[in-house]
Amino acid sequence: DSGVTQTPKHLITATGQRVTLRCSPRSGDLSVYWYQQSLDQGLQFLIQYYNGEERAKGNILERFSAQQFPDLHSELNLSSLELGDSALYFCASSVVSRTGWLGEQFFGPGTRLTVL
Amino acid sequence: KNEVEQSPQNLTAQEGEFITINCSYSVGISALHWLQQHPGGGIVSLFMLSSGKKKHGRLIATINIQEKHSSLHITASHPRDSAVYICAVKASSNYKLTFGKGTLLTVNP
């Protein structure tokens, strides 16, 4: 058990819909990362938050957005869903030092999203 | 060309064999991660390294910064080592991780 929790475990929805994925980082970790893993693309970095602020952006679509709340949990919102958005979505957390050094990342169990 | 290349893509071994998985990258990095993903989908971080060598049980990871290359070795492999092994690098210039496509390892009893 990594200490990172994600809900829900599975999500089945229809095209055009909007969903919210939730992540709680390990106790004490200020940095949260979101990743997408699809069969054809492999693992891709979406976005990183540090202590409530967006720090880095990867291949995140405009239909997707995320935020990190004061209690450090994070939510990834996916809207206008398409069939191609079906994937495993992972959240990870890590320690980040004041100098910006990134510690080891601990991954949550993932949310499997199926868009029908 | 991908920033992170892993080889081989697939690897089948007999229990007890010594395994090597390779990772090459093309950018300057501040850290390299080795991850393990089991068939159930969960991802476990095995190593994070920026120089030299690290060992944890039967697993050894090495990195050569000048050659932009890392290897993951498994000694005395076991069927429970069967998983996808993924190399990921954190570029010096940004905060994101870039992943290799993974190596599917199958260890037969």
Side-chain angles (χ1 to χ4, degrees):
Chain A
D1 183 0
S2 67
V4 179
T5 60
Q6 287 187 250
T7 57
K9 236 181 170 172
H10 301 276
L11 199 45
I12 301 174
T13 188
T15 54
Q17 294 298 305
R18 174 190 165 94
V19 297
T20 297
L21 312 184
R22 184 188 166 106
C23 167
S24 292
R26 287 189 326 153
S27 176
D29 285 354
L30 298 180
S31 199
V32 168
Y33 311 77
W34 285 99
Y35 299 99
Q36 179 193 56
Q37 186 179 38
S38 57
L39 277 173
D40 55 342
Q41 295 280 351
L43 267 167
Q44 294 210 325
F45 167 74
L46 294 178
I47 197 163
Q48 179 203 359
Y49 279 84
Y50 174 69
N51 204 20
E53 293 192 6
E54 181 185 306
R55 178 165 266 192
K57 234 174 178 172
N59 303 320
I60 188 166
L61 300 171
E62 282 192 18
R63 300 183 286 109
F64 296 0
S65 65
Q67 54 184 324
Q68 186 179 28
F69 295 87
D71 67 353
L72 300 178
H73 92 270
S74 178
E75 291 181 358
L76 179 67
N77 300 296
L78 314 176
S79 60
S80 303
L81 285 168
E82 302 175 358
L83 295 177
D85 298 327
S86 295
L88 262 172
Y89 291 85
F90 288 100
C91 162
S93 74
S94 75
V95 169
V96 180
S97 76
R98 268 172 291 161
T99 58
W101 178 84
L102 294 175
E104 181 182 354
Q105 295 197 15
F106 294 86
F107 286 77
T111 293
R112 185 174 294 278
L113 173 67
T114 303
V115 182
L116 300 175
Chain B
K1 189 178 189 299
N2 291 329
E3 286 183 2
V4 182
E5 296 276 355
Q6 281 186 241
S7 63
Q9 262 188 306
N10 295 283
L11 184 54
T12 301
Q14 287 301 120
E15 184 172 356
E17 283 185 6
F18 180 83
I19 305 288
T20 295
I21 299 170
N22 296 299
C23 175
S24 297
Y25 52 91
S26 57
V27 297
I29 68 166
S30 58
L32 182 143
H33 299 249
W34 280 103
L35 310 171
Q36 180 193 56
Q37 186 171 27
H38 276 283
I43 295 176
V44 174
S45 177
L46 298 174
F47 295 103
M48 186 184 82
L49 60 166
S50 53
S51 65
K53 178 178 171 177
K54 284 190 176 179
K55 185 175 191 289
H56 185 246
R58 295 180 295 106
L59 271 57
I60 303 165
T62 63
I63 188 168
N64 185 318
I65 296 291
Q66 286 74 30
E67 294 186 6
K68 293 187 166 61
H69 181 268
S70 175
S71 293
L72 176 68
H73 304 287
I74 305 175
T75 61
S77 59
H78 191 275
R80 65 174 174 266
D81 297 327
S82 298
V84 175
Y85 292 83
I86 302 168
C87 169
V89 301
K90 181 194 162 301
S92 306
S93 56
N94 59 51
Y95 289 100
K96 69 172 191 168
L97 278 185
T98 303
F99 298 86
K101 294 199 180 300
T103 295
L104 174 60
L105 171 65
T106 303
V107 182
N108 294 317

